[in-house]
Amino acid sequence: MTSTGFVQSAPPLRPPRRAHTLLALAPAGCRSVLEAAPHLERAQVDAETWASDARLSAFLASKQMLRGQFSTLFAASLDGRMRVLADPTGVRIPTINLADRDYFRRTLAEQRALVSEPVGGRVSSEPVIVFTAPLRNAHGIYGVVGASLRLAS
C-alpha cells in the first residue's frame, strides 16, 4: 500500500479504442473528465478499507479531484451491490444493484477498465456515461470502482 491509501496495482491496461475516439471527439471542456477516467483503474482499495463500509465511505469522500470531475463515484461488490456512492449531496450507502448493467458485467468478464454506452442513470435518472475499473489483488478481482458523467447540462 502507498502512503495515499492506494494499493500498488498492475500496470494500467490500455483503454479501449472507443475511449481514445471519445477523447479525440470530446469538446475541450470534457477532455479533462475523460483524461481523469484512468485514475479509477489505479484507485485500488486495500483489504482493510474494502472490508468496512465506513472506511470505504471515507476513502471515496477523500477523492476530491475525482469527485469534482464526475457526477458520481461508486464502489460495488462482485454481486453488483453498490457498497458506497459519492455524489454532490455527499457519501452514502445506497440500495442500488448494478448486476444487470452491461458495463458492470463486461468489466468483470473482460477484467479491464471500460467506458459504457450512454445509459439512464440509476442515481440521477438522467443519461450518463459510466467509467468502470475492476479492483484486483493477488487473488483476482474483488470489486468494481466506477464513476458516472451526466450528459445533461
Side-chain angles (χ1 to χ4, degrees):
M1 182 172 31
T2 67
S3 62
T4 62
F6 289 108
V7 171
Q8 195 89 19
S9 65
L13 300 174
R14 258 186 39 201
R17 176 173 294 223
R18 192 168 74 216
H20 287 297
T21 302
L22 187 59
L23 182 58
L25 297 175
C30 294
R31 287 191 183 130
S32 65
V33 172
L34 294 172
E35 289 167 346
H39 293 282
L40 287 173
E41 191 169 12
R42 292 189 292 275
Q44 298 294 310
V45 180
D46 64 78
E48 188 175 315
T49 300
W50 185 255
S52 163
D53 285 346
R55 286 188 181 119
L56 195 53
S57 294
F59 178 80
L60 284 186
S62 73
K63 303 304 167 203
Q64 293 301 318
M65 189 278 296
L66 286 173
R67 289 185 66 194
Q69 296 289 328
F70 295 100
S71 305
T72 64
L73 295 178
F74 64 87
S77 57
L78 293 177
D79 64 1
R81 181 177 58 90
M82 194 180 288
R83 300 224 6 241
V84 178
L85 170 73
D87 67 10
T89 66
V91 179
R92 64 187 183 282
I93 299 172
T95 56
I96 296 172
N97 194 295
L98 303 173
D100 64 329
R101 294 294 183 135
D102 183 59
Y103 62 81
F104 183 81
R105 291 191 311 260
R106 285 185 49 220
T107 299
L108 294 176
E110 298 175 22
Q111 300 184 20
R112 65 181 179 93
L114 61 87
V115 179
S116 78
E117 298 291 332
V119 297
R122 290 258 162 93
V123 175
S124 68
S125 300
E126 295 179 2
V128 296
I129 292 176
V130 182
F131 302 82
T132 55
L135 294 169
R136 65 180 91 233
N137 60 22
H139 305 290
I141 294 174
Y142 60 91
V144 172
V145 65
S148 70
L149 177 62
R150 285 182 35 209
L151 298 177
S153 47

